[in-house]
Amino acid sequence: MPASPTRRMIGVILLIPLIAALALSAFAWPAARTAPHDLPVGVAGPAAATAPLQRGFERQPGAFEVHRYDDEAAARAAVEERDVYGAVVAAPEGPHLLTASAAGPAVAQLLREAVTARAPAGTQVRVTDVVATPPGDPRGGVFGASMLPLSLAGVATGALVSLLALRGVRALGTLFGAAALAGLMATALAHNWLDVLAGDWWAEAGVFGLAVLAIGATVAGLAALLGRAGIGLGALLVALLGNPLSGVSSAPELLPESVGALGQWLPPGASGSLLRSVAYFDGNAAATPALTLTAWAVLGLAAVMLGARRTAAAPETPDSPDAPARTREPAPAA
């Protein structure tokens, strides 16, 4: 028996505050607990010279994961390959900090402040931005804001595939086609118009397209298995959980411990990491996020096809929206 209008009204009144509380917690809690957690950094130079630098990082237990390198060249290569966010080189004239603002301006600023605070009094810390953010986005704000629209595009794609009752080959064609066009459009805007990306144009378009496909296929797949409730579940998974835990606007290691790692296994976090690698670091450290997005896309597409087979195998009823209209035969004459 369907719920009465009064019960539905009460349900909405109680549900909206709950959703608001969940959304506020998901977005505000990570921002309020921003701090380094096992943040990879490097020290370079002779062991005797780097020992004080390493001890300085280790004064804050659990904050930094220190890697040792023989010289500045090795430390610079580690920064460029995204093995570490930055490195301190022990030079005769004083510490030389290597950063990569393209990996996260917030992390670069944190390292500047940490190294400067621990440097001997009167010592000038030289800073070199090895991989800088592009001129169009010096603080990384535009890059950080790019994931939410991308997530919404994916959710909208999956929802429309479900609501329009597209199944089988039509559903797959819609998901692939919408993702490809969204990738081209997003790259044209971010790379050519806003000038916030600096990598290979087609590789960036591929990342945008794969991100939309992974999210759209996930939402459509959940809807195919669970009905319209799957659309809501997919939207909550991507927008309410995936976006605030993505670490795109800061870094996964600056989110509360273990939460940042979880965010990298969700489509928004994997999309941000993959796009950052392709746009600024020549594809270094791109394998894991690429595989993560591919896995979400494949599982979502498989769920779409499974749902289509279940629908085709189910017996049709006159009340089913997919049942063909039946014409009423004229009653026999009395």
Side-chain angles (χ1 to χ4, degrees):
M1 177 185 296
S4 67
T6 301
R7 289 185 177 181
R8 292 199 297 268
M9 179 188 73
I10 295 174
V12 171
I13 292 174
L14 296 177
L15 180 62
I16 295 305
L18 178 61
I19 294 176
L22 290 174
L24 181 61
S25 301
F27 281 88
W29 174 61
R33 298 292 186 269
T34 298
H37 298 283
D38 293 324
L39 185 75
V41 297
V43 294
T50 58
L53 299 174
Q54 184 168 348
R55 286 195 298 269
F57 282 118
E58 293 172 348
R59 286 175 187 167
Q60 191 175 347
F64 298 98
E65 180 185 282
V66 182
H67 301 255
R68 297 180 62 94
Y69 300 99
D70 294 333
D71 51 30
E72 180 178 339
R76 184 182 291 265
V79 173
E80 293 173 343
E81 292 170 5
R82 299 200 70 187
D83 293 331
V84 294
Y85 280 92
V88 186
V89 182
E93 63 276 12
H96 178 198
L97 175 61
L98 306 177
T99 65
S101 59
V107 177
Q109 180 63 30
L110 183 150
L111 292 177
R112 289 191 195 96
E113 294 173 355
V115 174
T116 302
R118 296 186 177 99
T123 302
Q124 182 69 31
V125 178
R126 187 160 57 99
V127 180
T128 300
D129 198 348
V130 178
V131 186
T133 53
D137 191 22
R139 298 185 179 180
V142 180
F143 184 92
S146 64
M147 281 304 106
L148 182 57
L150 201 65
S151 298
L152 294 178
V155 170
T157 302
L160 288 173
V161 166
S162 175
L163 295 175
L164 296 176
L166 299 175
R167 296 185 176 87
V169 176
R170 289 187 177 87
L172 298 186
T174 302
L175 290 168
F176 276 102
L181 291 178
L184 295 175
M185 181 66 71
T187 308
L189 294 174
H191 189 115
N192 299 102
W193 180 43
L194 298 175
D195 191 26
V196 300
L197 303 179
D200 179 79
W201 199 96
W202 289 104
E204 293 165 356
V207 173
F208 279 123
L210 179 58
V212 174
L213 176 63
I215 296 171
T218 298
V219 174
L222 289 172
L225 297 178
L226 305 176
R228 293 191 177 183
I231 298 176
L233 178 60
L236 290 175
L237 180 68
V238 172
L240 191 60
L241 186 63
N243 272 287
L245 302 186
S246 66
V248 174
S249 52
S250 55
E253 293 83 0
L254 294 186
L255 298 178
E257 194 170 2
S258 74
V259 170
L262 171 64
Q264 294 305 293
W265 292 107
L266 297 175
S271 301
S273 294
L274 181 57
L275 182 61
R276 199 181 292 278
S277 290
V278 169
Y280 307 129
F281 292 89
D282 296 326
N284 291 319
T288 299
L291 289 174
T292 301
L293 284 178
T294 301
W296 280 100
V298 170
L299 291 174
L301 295 172
V304 169
M305 295 305 295
L306 177 61
R309 289 187 178 183
R310 287 171 51 182
T311 301
E316 293 179 349
T317 63
D319 295 331
S320 171
D322 297 322
R326 292 177 172 83
T327 58
R328 178 179 298 175
E329 295 181 359

